[in-house]
Amino acid sequence: MHYWVFVVKDHYMDGDVVSALDIAKERVGGRFWLISKRYANMKALAEGGWAVFYTTGRDGRFFVGDGTFSTPPKPLDIEISMYAKGHPSEKMTHYIRFATARLWQNPVKVEDLVEKLSFISRKEKWYVYFRGSLRKIPEQHYNIIMLAANSQP
């Protein structure tokens, strides 16, 4: 089992912007996350793991929730494909089903944790480490993020 950051950014649909947080709410509410079959680490995803949800867009960059999964990625089915709307979701081909998934009442600003996350070596350009839809992280960094989330008022 591995530790992951699942990333979602603002989406563009019919000329409108749908906020990353709104997309995350929809996915967490349905306990799934869309991914691309082109993701290089699909084999590690198949082992399951723990995830932190990260949003990026006009409203800022935040860790917003967490979840667990134990089933491998599956091709989109009819039920899930209706959520693959707008760019970039329309490019996604697979999904992960979560056993547990929740949004936190108080999101954690990523900037507040950058100094504690050693996998981010270029602190001044920390945001580049969260490009793409998934990022595998060490267990200790997952724990740092979760501690920050659980310490929120």
mmCIF file of all heavy atoms in Angstrom, residues 75-102:
data_model
loop_
_atom_site.group_PDB
_atom_site.id
_atom_site.type_symbol
_atom_site.label_atom_id
_atom_site.label_comp_id
_atom_site.label_asym_id
_atom_site.label_seq_id
_atom_site.Cartn_x
_atom_site.Cartn_y
_atom_site.Cartn_z
ATOM 1 N N PRO A 75 -11.563 0.766 -15.892
ATOM 2 C CA PRO A 75 -12.006 1.635 -16.990
ATOM 3 C C PRO A 75 -13.328 2.307 -16.617
ATOM 4 O O PRO A 75 -14.136 1.736 -15.872
ATOM 5 C CB PRO A 75 -12.212 0.666 -18.153
ATOM 6 C CG PRO A 75 -11.415 -0.544 -17.803
ATOM 7 C CD PRO A 75 -11.426 -0.625 -16.300
ATOM 8 N N LEU A 76 -13.526 3.513 -17.114
ATOM 9 C CA LEU A 76 -14.772 4.225 -16.836
ATOM 10 C C LEU A 76 -15.965 3.375 -17.252
ATOM 11 O O LEU A 76 -15.964 2.753 -18.312
ATOM 12 C CB LEU A 76 -14.823 5.543 -17.602
ATOM 13 C CG LEU A 76 -13.905 6.660 -17.127
ATOM 14 C CD1 LEU A 76 -14.110 7.896 -17.992
ATOM 15 C CD2 LEU A 76 -14.125 6.997 -15.675
ATOM 16 N N ASP A 77 -16.983 3.347 -16.400
ATOM 17 C CA ASP A 77 -18.235 2.687 -16.758
ATOM 18 C C ASP A 77 -19.289 3.772 -16.967
ATOM 19 O O ASP A 77 -19.011 4.964 -16.815
ATOM 20 C CB ASP A 77 -18.654 1.659 -15.706
ATOM 21 C CG ASP A 77 -18.814 2.267 -14.309
ATOM 22 O OD1 ASP A 77 -19.118 3.472 -14.189
ATOM 23 O OD2 ASP A 77 -18.649 1.528 -13.329
ATOM 24 N N ILE A 78 -20.487 3.382 -17.312
ATOM 25 C CA ILE A 78 -21.540 4.356 -17.630
ATOM 26 C C ILE A 78 -21.826 5.257 -16.424
ATOM 27 O O ILE A 78 -21.972 6.470 -16.569
ATOM 28 C CB ILE A 78 -22.815 3.647 -18.116
ATOM 29 C CG1 ILE A 78 -22.542 3.041 -19.485
ATOM 30 C CG2 ILE A 78 -23.998 4.606 -18.168
ATOM 31 C CD1 ILE A 78 -23.665 2.199 -20.046
ATOM 32 N N GLU A 79 -21.891 4.674 -15.239
ATOM 33 C CA GLU A 79 -22.201 5.453 -14.031
ATOM 34 C C GLU A 79 -21.172 6.551 -13.793
ATOM 35 O O GLU A 79 -21.514 7.701 -13.538
ATOM 36 C CB GLU A 79 -22.265 4.527 -12.813
ATOM 37 C CG GLU A 79 -22.439 5.267 -11.502
ATOM 38 C CD GLU A 79 -22.161 4.399 -10.281
ATOM 39 O OE1 GLU A 79 -21.889 3.198 -10.434
ATOM 40 O OE2 GLU A 79 -22.209 4.941 -9.175
ATOM 41 N N ILE A 80 -19.897 6.213 -13.878
ATOM 42 C CA ILE A 80 -18.821 7.166 -13.573
ATOM 43 C C ILE A 80 -18.543 8.089 -14.755
ATOM 44 O O ILE A 80 -18.178 9.247 -14.567
ATOM 45 C CB ILE A 80 -17.543 6.412 -13.155
ATOM 46 C CG1 ILE A 80 -17.799 5.564 -11.900
ATOM 47 C CG2 ILE A 80 -16.396 7.376 -12.910
ATOM 48 C CD1 ILE A 80 -18.168 6.343 -10.662
ATOM 49 N N SER A 81 -18.733 7.620 -15.978
ATOM 50 C CA SER A 81 -18.387 8.439 -17.148
ATOM 51 C C SER A 81 -19.187 9.738 -17.207
ATOM 52 O O SER A 81 -18.740 10.713 -17.805
ATOM 53 C CB SER A 81 -18.554 7.643 -18.443
ATOM 54 O OG SER A 81 -19.903 7.309 -18.650
ATOM 55 N N MET A 82 -20.355 9.778 -16.571
ATOM 56 C CA MET A 82 -21.132 11.019 -16.590
ATOM 57 C C MET A 82 -20.441 12.136 -15.805
ATOM 58 O O MET A 82 -20.762 13.298 -15.957
ATOM 59 C CB MET A 82 -22.548 10.787 -16.060
ATOM 60 C CG MET A 82 -22.643 10.445 -14.604
ATOM 61 S SD MET A 82 -24.353 10.134 -14.176
ATOM 62 C CE MET A 82 -24.451 11.009 -12.641
ATOM 63 N N TYR A 83 -19.460 11.788 -14.979
ATOM 64 C CA TYR A 83 -18.703 12.791 -14.232
ATOM 65 C C TYR A 83 -17.470 13.272 -14.991
ATOM 66 O O TYR A 83 -16.818 14.210 -14.556
ATOM 67 C CB TYR A 83 -18.280 12.240 -12.870
ATOM 68 C CG TYR A 83 -19.452 11.922 -11.982
ATOM 69 C CD1 TYR A 83 -19.872 10.608 -11.800
ATOM 70 C CD2 TYR A 83 -20.146 12.936 -11.339
ATOM 71 C CE1 TYR A 83 -20.959 10.319 -10.987
ATOM 72 C CE2 TYR A 83 -21.233 12.653 -10.528
ATOM 73 C CZ TYR A 83 -21.635 11.340 -10.360
ATOM 74 O OH TYR A 83 -22.710 11.056 -9.556
ATOM 75 N N ALA A 84 -17.136 12.628 -16.081
ATOM 76 C CA ALA A 84 -15.967 13.011 -16.874
ATOM 77 C C ALA A 84 -16.367 14.090 -17.870
ATOM 78 O O ALA A 84 -16.372 13.897 -19.067
ATOM 79 C CB ALA A 84 -15.395 11.787 -17.586
ATOM 80 N N LYS A 85 -16.731 15.226 -17.327
ATOM 81 C CA LYS A 85 -17.185 16.332 -18.171
ATOM 82 C C LYS A 85 -16.268 17.526 -17.980
ATOM 83 O O LYS A 85 -15.756 17.755 -16.891
ATOM 84 C CB LYS A 85 -18.631 16.690 -17.835
ATOM 85 C CG LYS A 85 -18.854 16.998 -16.378
ATOM 86 C CD LYS A 85 -20.321 17.160 -16.048
ATOM 87 C CE LYS A 85 -20.463 17.519 -14.588
ATOM 88 N NZ LYS A 85 -21.303 16.653 -13.844
ATOM 89 N N GLY A 86 -16.079 18.268 -19.039
ATOM 90 C CA GLY A 86 -15.200 19.425 -18.979
ATOM 91 C C GLY A 86 -13.737 19.018 -19.079
ATOM 92 O O GLY A 86 -13.381 17.852 -18.976
ATOM 93 N N HIS A 87 -12.918 20.015 -19.311
ATOM 94 C CA HIS A 87 -11.477 19.794 -19.428
ATOM 95 C C HIS A 87 -10.821 20.074 -18.098
ATOM 96 O O HIS A 87 -11.111 21.078 -17.481
ATOM 97 C CB HIS A 87 -10.901 20.721 -20.505
ATOM 98 C CG HIS A 87 -9.441 20.548 -20.690
ATOM 99 N ND1 HIS A 87 -8.916 19.518 -21.431
ATOM 100 C CD2 HIS A 87 -8.396 21.231 -20.196
ATOM 101 C CE1 HIS A 87 -7.604 19.607 -21.397
ATOM 102 N NE2 HIS A 87 -7.274 20.637 -20.656
ATOM 103 N N PRO A 88 -10.007 19.186 -17.546
ATOM 104 C CA PRO A 88 -9.368 18.038 -18.166
ATOM 105 C C PRO A 88 -10.046 16.684 -17.908
ATOM 106 O O PRO A 88 -9.560 15.667 -18.403
ATOM 107 C CB PRO A 88 -7.987 18.047 -17.542
ATOM 108 C CG PRO A 88 -8.207 18.562 -16.164
ATOM 109 C CD PRO A 88 -9.337 19.568 -16.309
ATOM 110 N N SER A 89 -11.140 16.603 -17.184
ATOM 111 C CA SER A 89 -11.743 15.301 -16.867
ATOM 112 C C SER A 89 -12.131 14.495 -18.088
ATOM 113 O O SER A 89 -12.082 13.262 -18.068
ATOM 114 C CB SER A 89 -12.984 15.473 -15.975
ATOM 115 O OG SER A 89 -12.601 15.669 -14.639
ATOM 116 N N GLU A 90 -12.506 15.171 -19.159
ATOM 117 C CA GLU A 90 -12.936 14.443 -20.347
ATOM 118 C C GLU A 90 -11.822 13.591 -20.951
ATOM 119 O O GLU A 90 -12.081 12.697 -21.753
ATOM 120 C CB GLU A 90 -13.499 15.407 -21.393
ATOM 121 C CG GLU A 90 -12.500 16.431 -21.870
ATOM 122 C CD GLU A 90 -13.132 17.630 -22.563
ATOM 123 O OE1 GLU A 90 -14.366 17.790 -22.494
ATOM 124 O OE2 GLU A 90 -12.391 18.403 -23.162
ATOM 125 N N LYS A 91 -10.578 13.822 -20.522
ATOM 126 C CA LYS A 91 -9.446 13.029 -21.000
ATOM 127 C C LYS A 91 -9.203 11.788 -20.141
ATOM 128 O O LYS A 91 -8.393 10.944 -20.497
ATOM 129 C CB LYS A 91 -8.172 13.872 -21.015
ATOM 130 C CG LYS A 91 -8.190 14.997 -22.013
ATOM 131 C CD LYS A 91 -6.880 15.728 -21.988
ATOM 132 C CE LYS A 91 -6.842 16.773 -23.085
ATOM 133 N NZ LYS A 91 -5.535 17.400 -23.180
ATOM 134 N N MET A 92 -9.877 11.680 -19.022
ATOM 135 C CA MET A 92 -9.651 10.568 -18.107
ATOM 136 C C MET A 92 -10.338 9.303 -18.617
ATOM 137 O O MET A 92 -11.430 9.359 -19.165
ATOM 138 C CB MET A 92 -10.139 10.913 -16.701
ATOM 139 C CG MET A 92 -9.479 12.143 -16.111
ATOM 140 S SD MET A 92 -7.692 11.932 -15.984
ATOM 141 C CE MET A 92 -7.152 13.625 -16.050
ATOM 142 N N THR A 93 -9.683 8.172 -18.419
ATOM 143 C CA THR A 93 -10.163 6.903 -18.966
ATOM 144 C C THR A 93 -10.504 5.870 -17.899
ATOM 145 O O THR A 93 -11.152 4.878 -18.183
ATOM 146 C CB THR A 93 -9.081 6.300 -19.882
ATOM 147 O OG1 THR A 93 -7.875 6.149 -19.100
ATOM 148 C CG2 THR A 93 -8.817 7.191 -21.083
ATOM 149 N N HIS A 94 -10.013 6.091 -16.667
ATOM 150 C CA HIS A 94 -10.175 5.128 -15.589
ATOM 151 C C HIS A 94 -10.606 5.851 -14.308
ATOM 152 O O HIS A 94 -10.581 7.087 -14.245
ATOM 153 C CB HIS A 94 -8.860 4.388 -15.331
ATOM 154 C CG HIS A 94 -8.527 3.392 -16.391
ATOM 155 N ND1 HIS A 94 -8.235 3.756 -17.685
ATOM 156 C CD2 HIS A 94 -8.442 2.040 -16.345
ATOM 157 C CE1 HIS A 94 -7.973 2.662 -18.395
ATOM 158 N NE2 HIS A 94 -8.100 1.613 -17.607
ATOM 159 N N TYR A 95 -10.938 5.060 -13.316
ATOM 160 C CA TYR A 95 -11.270 5.635 -12.019
ATOM 161 C C TYR A 95 -10.844 4.705 -10.892
ATOM 162 O O TYR A 95 -10.640 3.507 -11.099
ATOM 163 C CB TYR A 95 -12.761 5.965 -11.918
ATOM 164 C CG TYR A 95 -13.673 4.763 -11.780
ATOM 165 C CD1 TYR A 95 -14.169 4.391 -10.529
ATOM 166 C CD2 TYR A 95 -14.058 4.009 -12.885
ATOM 167 C CE1 TYR A 95 -15.010 3.287 -10.403
ATOM 168 C CE2 TYR A 95 -14.898 2.930 -12.770
ATOM 169 C CZ TYR A 95 -15.373 2.566 -11.517
ATOM 170 O OH TYR A 95 -16.199 1.481 -11.388
ATOM 171 N N ILE A 96 -10.691 5.296 -9.730
ATOM 172 C CA ILE A 96 -10.411 4.572 -8.486
ATOM 173 C C ILE A 96 -11.664 4.705 -7.624
ATOM 174 O O ILE A 96 -12.215 5.801 -7.490
ATOM 175 C CB ILE A 96 -9.230 5.222 -7.723
ATOM 176 C CG1 ILE A 96 -7.946 5.135 -8.520
ATOM 177 C CG2 ILE A 96 -9.080 4.640 -6.343
ATOM 178 C CD1 ILE A 96 -7.134 3.910 -8.327
ATOM 179 N N ARG A 97 -12.097 3.620 -7.030
ATOM 180 C CA ARG A 97 -13.235 3.645 -6.101
ATOM 181 C C ARG A 97 -12.663 3.685 -4.678
ATOM 182 O O ARG A 97 -11.789 2.898 -4.333
ATOM 183 C CB ARG A 97 -14.086 2.391 -6.305
ATOM 184 C CG ARG A 97 -15.243 2.257 -5.375
ATOM 185 C CD ARG A 97 -16.325 3.280 -5.529
ATOM 186 N NE ARG A 97 -17.100 3.107 -6.745
ATOM 187 C CZ ARG A 97 -18.000 3.985 -7.150
ATOM 188 N NH1 ARG A 97 -18.239 5.092 -6.469
ATOM 189 N NH2 ARG A 97 -18.679 3.781 -8.262
ATOM 190 N N PHE A 98 -13.141 4.633 -3.877
ATOM 191 C CA PHE A 98 -12.668 4.788 -2.504
ATOM 192 C C PHE A 98 -13.548 4.032 -1.525
ATOM 193 O O PHE A 98 -14.777 4.057 -1.639
ATOM 194 C CB PHE A 98 -12.633 6.272 -2.117
ATOM 195 C CG PHE A 98 -11.432 6.980 -2.663
ATOM 196 C CD1 PHE A 98 -11.470 7.575 -3.899
ATOM 197 C CD2 PHE A 98 -10.255 7.005 -1.947
ATOM 198 C CE1 PHE A 98 -10.354 8.195 -4.432
ATOM 199 C CE2 PHE A 98 -9.129 7.618 -2.459
ATOM 200 C CZ PHE A 98 -9.180 8.215 -3.705
ATOM 201 N N ALA A 99 -12.910 3.376 -0.561
ATOM 202 C CA ALA A 99 -13.642 2.734 0.531
ATOM 203 C C ALA A 99 -14.131 3.809 1.496
ATOM 204 O O ALA A 99 -15.253 3.754 1.994
ATOM 205 C CB ALA A 99 -12.747 1.735 1.260
ATOM 206 N N THR A 100 -13.261 4.789 1.751
ATOM 207 C CA THR A 100 -13.624 5.945 2.575
ATOM 208 C C THR A 100 -13.156 7.194 1.851
ATOM 209 O O THR A 100 -12.131 7.172 1.158
ATOM 210 C CB THR A 100 -12.961 5.903 3.969
ATOM 211 O OG1 THR A 100 -11.533 5.989 3.806
ATOM 212 C CG2 THR A 100 -13.332 4.628 4.720
ATOM 213 N N ALA A 101 -13.886 8.270 1.995
ATOM 214 C CA ALA A 101 -13.492 9.555 1.400
ATOM 215 C C ALA A 101 -14.229 10.659 2.138
ATOM 216 O O ALA A 101 -15.422 10.538 2.403
ATOM 217 C CB ALA A 101 -13.836 9.591 -0.089
ATOM 218 N N ARG A 102 -13.494 11.697 2.485
ATOM 219 C CA ARG A 102 -14.125 12.826 3.177
ATOM 220 C C ARG A 102 -13.406 14.125 2.823
ATOM 221 O O ARG A 102 -12.216 14.132 2.496
ATOM 222 C CB ARG A 102 -14.101 12.626 4.687
ATOM 223 C CG ARG A 102 -12.692 12.665 5.257
ATOM 224 C CD ARG A 102 -12.633 12.427 6.738
ATOM 225 N NE ARG A 102 -11.235 12.374 7.167
ATOM 226 C CZ ARG A 102 -10.783 12.908 8.275
ATOM 227 N NH1 ARG A 102 -11.607 13.519 9.098
ATOM 228 N NH2 ARG A 102 -9.509 12.818 8.583
#
